[in-house]
């Protein structure tokens, strides 16, 4: 193994232009650390928030290597690691905590053992790189924050992005009736392909009436919302009595009528994964492995960029997120 690697560094906060490709020493693991030879890294919306220091939950001190999700092969392990061995195919993500050390916008990345998960042989490294944030977030939002159950009606607002696709697939795996929205012809085709029973164009006027009509006027039981600053007031009207809304997307100012929530005995739930317990991490990762292995979970890879084009990937991802089709990836 070489003694150096290429990595994308952020040494000051700003736009994608602050990301610089550098050659640095490869770190060596100790204790419960796992060194991974990265094959691909997911490009999440949250990556830009950390680069620009606009993450509501707090900043990552500069300098740092960006990224949260990735996949690759275990290259070296610390003396206390028990769950993986050198040569294993794995994917990585934050789950229940923030990691320290290098992150996946690099040829090698160091992760705590708690954030390293086995990747089934039938899943490519590119597909493995888009698992973490989307599938963990959607699972927690659906089944923990919103207590979704089989037979309920589920609305995925913004279904063609990575979290939207994950939400659709998780809901279908539990026997829910799924309505998903998208804003382009390609997006509408994609949400149907990945499992939605009905696709609705959220850029069309009165699309809320279309959704309500699909439920026979009853309303939906559960909504995962990627654009609450645009849709939350509408979502409150769309849910049925006892309905639950999971807020995932970018925050922004909004005016709502809170009396509608107590009239319907509905709830609005914030969805995140940093604070989930080790038991929930085990639950999600186990369900995800089974879904990938058996084929009812099928991640969708969007546009691919080489590592040296990481700034372009983040820039395009941030600009085009409203019409996303799957998740962007960096390849090493």
């Amino acid at each position: 193994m070489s003694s150096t690697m290429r990595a994308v560094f952020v040494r000051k906060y700003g736009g994608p232009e602050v990301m610089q490709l550098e050659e640095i020493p490869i770190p060596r693991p100790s204790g419960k650390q796992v060194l991974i030879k990265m094959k691909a890294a997911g490009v999440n919306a949250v990556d830009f928030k950390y680069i620009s220091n606009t993450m509501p939950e707090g900043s990552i001190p500069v300098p740092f290597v960006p990224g949260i999700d990735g996949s690759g092969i275990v290259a070296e392990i610390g003396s206390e690691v028990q769950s993986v061995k050198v040569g294993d195919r794995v994917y990585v993500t934050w789950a229940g905590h923030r990691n320290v050390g290098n992150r996946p916008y690099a040829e090698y990345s160091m992760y705590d053992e708690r954030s390293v998960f086995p990747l089934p042989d039938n899943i490519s490294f590119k597909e493995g790189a888009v698992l973490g944030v989307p599938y963990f977030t959607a699972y927690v939002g659906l089944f923990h924050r919103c207590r979704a159950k089989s037979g309920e009606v589920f609305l995925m607002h913004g279904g063609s992005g990575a979290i939207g696709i994950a939400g659709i697939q998780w809901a279908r795996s539990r026997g829910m009736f799924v309505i998903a929205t998208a804003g382009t012809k390609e997006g509408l085709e994609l949400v149907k392909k990945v499992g939605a029973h009905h696709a609705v164009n959220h850029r069309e006027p009165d699309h809320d009436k279309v959704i309500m009509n699909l439920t026979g006027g009853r309303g939906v039981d559960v909504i995962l919302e990627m654009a609450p600053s645009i849709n939350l007031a509408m979502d409150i009207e769309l849910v049925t009595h006892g309905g639950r809304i999971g807020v995932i997307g970018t925050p922004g100012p909004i005016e709502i009528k809170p009396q509608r929530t107590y009239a319907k005995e509905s709830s609005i739930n914030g969805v995140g994964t940093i604070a989930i317990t080790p038991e929930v991490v085990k639950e999600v990762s186990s369900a995800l492995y089974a879904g990938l292995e058996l084929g009812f979970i099928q991640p969708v890879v969007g546009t691919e960029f080489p590592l040296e084009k990481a700034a372009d990937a983040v820039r395009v991802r941030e600009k085009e997120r409203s019409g996303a089709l799957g998740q962007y990836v960096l390849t090493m």
Side-chain angles (χ1 to χ4, degrees):
M1 187 169 66
S2 172
S3 61
T4 62
M5 67 174 183
R6 296 183 306 156
V8 174
F9 261 88
V10 173
R11 297 194 177 276
K12 63 178 180 179
Y13 301 119
E17 69 278 358
V18 304
M19 303 165 63
Q20 300 295 325
L21 190 65
E22 301 180 17
E23 188 157 323
I24 62 172
I26 297 174
R28 299 300 179 189
S30 62
K32 294 184 177 296
Q33 294 178 322
V34 179
L35 180 68
I36 299 165
K37 181 174 176 55
M38 303 304 297
K39 295 294 186 179
V43 180
N44 290 292
V46 71
D47 296 349
F48 175 78
K49 294 184 178 69
Y50 283 118
I51 293 164
S52 59
N53 197 25
T54 56
M55 189 67 179
E57 292 82 359
S59 62
I60 297 176
V62 292
F64 65 90
V65 175
I68 296 175
D69 296 338
S71 64
I73 299 171
V74 175
E76 194 174 340
I77 60 175
S79 59
E80 299 176 29
V81 172
Q82 297 180 346
S83 62
V84 295
K85 63 183 184 302
V86 173
D88 283 355
R89 303 173 79 251
V90 296
Y91 72 94
V92 292
T93 189
W94 293 2
H97 61 281
R98 294 188 184 188
N99 276 272
V100 295
N102 291 315
R103 295 180 177 87
Y105 285 26
E107 291 177 324
Y108 286 85
S109 186
M110 190 86 79
Y111 272 79
D112 186 282
E113 181 181 16
R114 295 172 296 175
S115 293
V116 181
F117 305 95
L119 185 67
D121 291 338
N122 62 314
I123 301 300
S124 71
F125 288 115
K126 294 174 186 177
E127 292 170 325
V130 306
L131 295 177
V133 167
Y135 284 89
F136 275 74
T137 302
Y139 187 102
V140 169
L142 270 172
F143 305 125
H144 285 265
R145 304 292 184 260
C146 293
R147 308 175 308 283
K149 299 185 291 291
S150 300
E152 290 190 316
V153 178
F154 168 57
L155 171 62
M156 185 69 238
H157 241 150
S160 64
I163 293 177
I165 291 166
I168 292 167
Q169 293 177 348
W170 282 131
R172 283 301 305 268
S173 76
R174 292 288 181 91
M176 301 183 76
F177 181 81
V178 178
I179 303 168
T181 73
T184 64
K185 177 182 177 182
E186 295 79 8
L188 293 167
E189 291 172 350
L190 178 58
V191 300
K192 291 291 293 293
K193 181 179 179 181
V194 299
H197 292 95
H198 292 282
V200 177
N201 189 335
H202 56 226
R203 293 181 179 173
E204 292 293 333
D206 297 330
H207 74 273
D208 55 326
K209 294 183 175 62
V210 175
I211 293 168
M212 188 62 79
N213 288 337
L214 290 172
T215 72
R218 172 184 176 273
V220 300
D221 297 286
V222 175
I223 299 174
L224 288 187
E225 180 55 70
M226 299 303 300
S229 59
I230 299 172
N231 298 321
L232 186 56
M234 179 196 309
D235 294 337
I236 292 171
E237 301 301 322
L238 284 173
V239 291
T240 190
H241 188 89
R244 292 86 71 197
I245 302 167
V247 172
I248 299 173
T250 303
I254 186 170
E255 182 176 329
I256 63 172
K257 297 177 180 179
Q259 65 269 29
R260 293 296 291 157
T261 62
Y262 66 71
K264 291 187 173 186
E265 296 186 302
S266 58
S267 62
I268 301 170
N269 308 276
V271 178
T273 60
I274 289 177
I276 59 177
T277 65
E279 291 76 19
V280 173
V281 172
K282 183 178 180 180
E283 176 187 339
V284 181
S285 60
S286 297
L288 185 50
Y289 189 93
L292 293 166
E293 193 175 40
L294 296 175
F296 61 81
I297 295 297
Q298 299 177 344
V300 176
V301 176
T303 307
E304 301 173 20
F305 295 81
L307 180 63
E308 57 268 23
K309 297 293 185 180
D312 291 339
V314 171
R315 183 179 297 109
V316 175
R317 170 68 179 79
E318 182 65 15
K319 180 180 178 180
E320 297 183 354
R321 60 183 175 177
S322 61
L325 298 172
Q327 183 160 316
Y328 292 180
V329 296
L330 301 177
T331 55
M332 315 303 172

